[in-house]
Amino acid sequence: MNHTTRIAAAALFAVALSPMAVASTLTVNQSITEAEVLAGQQAWCKALVDISATHQRDGQAAAKALAEKVIDAAYGYQMGAVLFKPTLTTVPQTFRTSRDGALAYFVGGNAAFPKDTGFALKGWSKCQVVNSAVFIAGDSATTMGNVNFTGPDGKITSVDKTWKFVKDDKGALRIVVHHSSLPFSGA
Amino acid sequence: MNHTTRIAAAALFAVALSPMAVASTLTVNQSITEAEVLAGQQAWCKALVDISATHQRDGQAAAKALAEKVIDAAYGYQMGAVLFKPTLTTVPQTFRTSRDGALAYFVGGNAAFPKDTGFALKGWSKCQVVNSAVFIAGDSATTMGNVNFTGPDGKITSVDKTWKFVKDDKGALRIVVHHSSLPFSGA
Amino acid sequence: MNHTTRIAAAALFAVALSPMAVASTLTVNQSITEAEVLAGQQAWCKALVDISATHQRDGQAAAKALAEKVIDAAYGYQMGAVLFKPTLTTVPQTFRTSRDGALAYFVGGNAAFPKDTGFALKGWSKCQVVNSAVFIAGDSATTMGNVNFTGPDGKITSVDKTWKFVKDDKGALRIVVHHSSLPFSGA
Amino acid sequence: MNHTTRIAAAALFAVALSPMAVASTLTVNQSITEAEVLAGQQAWCKALVDISATHQRDGQAAAKALAEKVIDAAYGYQMGAVLFKPTLTTVPQTFRTSRDGALAYFVGGNAAFPKDTGFALKGWSKCQVVNSAVFIAGDSATTMGNVNFTGPDGKITSVDKTWKFVKDDKGALRIVVHHSSLPFSGA
């Protein structure tokens, strides 16, 4: 639900106002909490590992079907666009503002995005979030930090990642901005 | 401050990433909490009673000086306008979108608002809020319910009141909408 | 749609960057415009007159069915509550935070709200909005002013009214706060 | 000013309501417009080129003084933190959530950030924004796309950049999220 409803016993009222001797307050709170943000990040990580596992067990079609569910549930493409810069995309398809572009990035298999081999198909066994900062602006929340992916060989790939979440009408968090990049090599 | 900063000990990091063995998260949260809303209402009530007491003790000029401080601290007139419909105003000066109109309503003494006798000067000894509902939309919060004023004769006047609060850059709540009305007589 | 999408011809790019010689920008804008706010007010007025006309022509059940459609389309009850103080309600049912309470107010016929005779059934032939102020806060918009209802005898009833609108996921405006009151008699 | 005030000639009022024969509406609009967003980006670009030119003409101290003014005017550090991932920073100082960290990145000269040589001191003669998408959420606006910097040798460096802007109390845009990264090499 997009709110929390709570009936609070209010202070006893002046006896002169007997018709409402006891009042109660209905509270609807649409603010995004830090706990919701952290849970949203964990859900993203779990989904990535799940897609990887599904791919290994059931193949690309199954992984794609799962990725579609994840994108439709966790991103805000139905709002018109998501500002998504995946880690490994290149010119002229760097930015994936459409659902098709996001899906191709995660699971490949789309001739319109010929360089996409499927980031979620790389056998990730673990995904860990280490936030540098979380900024909750009331109706949106942005995080910035590292996400560390453990690959099939146990090697960890760390990326710099920014996510902006908003709540939809049902109160579910949706990613509307996602900028991911490999660390600067320092060369 | 317009935020809460918090350094949270984050989970120990994978040993493979030794350079940041312990990470911490900086959190800025601009959401309006229910506690802040309730405190904002209590502050309004206290200010009204204070202005009444100041008037009785020190006269209209002192009450006016205090009312100016209260309006400048608690309302959002510096944003361009406040949508303020006081309880007792009449056509053609029903709506007090300017600071002058609000001040005149509370303490009178302004020839441009000839019907204003000063609502805050009526000897209120108590002001009690009984919320029906609180709706926190993240970056704003609206309350609706009754506010009950105890006059010098001990008689209670109950009004139906809506307040919308936002946070300014310093994190202080400010009233940007205020609609107050006497209950329908039911005639 | 909850957005406007627009493909803007962007400035020609430096020739050194030939792969993207012509770029375009996808724009999603969820801001509430003043025109949308005014249209939302007009839609409310039209709905009220329509319910009145439906009542006169087809009876209370038809008016109720229409009122349900209007409430479900124009108010935000699915968010958990609407802060609604109708013009003519009294203690202890002054505030109508539930859909049932709003419906009863507009068309009556609900034993749980015994004093409700149906505000929308009073034969209103015209509904006119005269705003004092409109405050658009980006993701919400509040209006304050008069709404003037022309009754079956041609007499005009003027009320003081505050509405707060937000956009839902589909981009439709919804009323989440509605405070209406008869003008202070000035007695 | 954090708003636009506009006096609109409202529709003539019903003659029966002669006391307010002509009404007017005060409008305050805090929404961020696309034009403001584009101007904010241009201002960032101009500031970068100005700091570079100041450095070449007047030295590092003058460039630093200008950079401080720019940061204080264009970023939101006074809100508690900015989520800033500059293009060229590395572990463990990748994220510059403090003003000091931002200033060091732009103009160097801070022993606490030993790897910073001053991005704004690199002799940039031109800075061009090519947006992929702009998402205006009412009270915030995010852009994603390329920013192309022309260096002293005429060579262009293109980065992938995300900016989130909000308005402060005075209506000025401020950057609260800034993620910049070199394009994936495609290796």
Side-chain angles (χ1 to χ4, degrees), chain D residues 45-161:
Chain D
C45 267
K46 181 178 184 305
L48 183 79
V49 172
D50 284 352
I51 296 169
S52 265
T54 298
H55 176 243
Q56 291 176 315
R57 193 179 58 237
D58 302 322
Q60 196 268 353
K64 182 182 175 190
L66 177 55
E68 291 191 276
K69 282 187 196 172
V70 168
I71 291 171
D72 290 342
Y75 284 83
Y77 282 105
Q78 82 283 5
M79 295 180 193
V82 171
L83 278 56
F84 183 20
K85 207 296 286 178
T87 313
L88 304 178
T89 50
T90 54
V91 171
Q93 297 187 311
T94 304
F95 306 107
R96 302 300 174 93
T97 52
S98 72
R99 179 185 182 277
D100 280 357
L103 183 63
Y105 180 71
F106 285 120
V107 298
N110 184 338
F113 297 90
K115 291 189 179 171
D116 287 359
T117 55
F119 180 79
L121 309 184
K122 294 182 184 299
W124 306 116
S125 62
K126 189 173 174 187
C127 170
Q128 186 174 33
V129 177
V130 182
N131 288 312
S132 168
V134 176
F135 195 120
I136 301 175
D139 54 358
S140 71
T142 307
T143 65
M144 180 176 276
N146 291 115
V147 177
N148 304 292
F149 305 103
T150 304
D153 53 0
K155 193 182 157 204
I156 292 176
T157 300
S158 182
V159 304
D160 300 331
K161 195 178 287 286

Side-chain angles (χ1 to χ4, degrees), chain B residues 115-134:
Chain B
K115 291 189 179 171
D116 287 358
T117 55
F119 180 78
L121 309 184
K122 294 183 184 300
W124 306 115
S125 62
K126 190 174 173 186
C127 170
Q128 187 175 32
V129 176
V130 182
N131 288 312
S132 169
V134 175

Side-chain angles (χ1 to χ4, degrees), chain C residues 49-64 66 107 117-118 120-123:
Chain C
V49 172
D50 284 352
I51 295 169
S52 265
T54 298
H55 176 244
Q56 290 175 316
R57 193 178 58 236
D58 301 322
Q60 195 269 351
K64 183 183 174 189
L66 177 55
V107 298
T117 55
L121 309 185
K122 294 184 184 299

Side-chain angles (χ1 to χ4, degrees), chain A residues 106-127:
Chain A
F106 284 120
V107 299
N110 184 339
F113 297 89
K115 290 189 179 171
D116 287 357
T117 55
F119 179 79
L121 309 184
K122 294 183 183 300
W124 306 116
S125 63
K126 191 174 174 186
C127 171

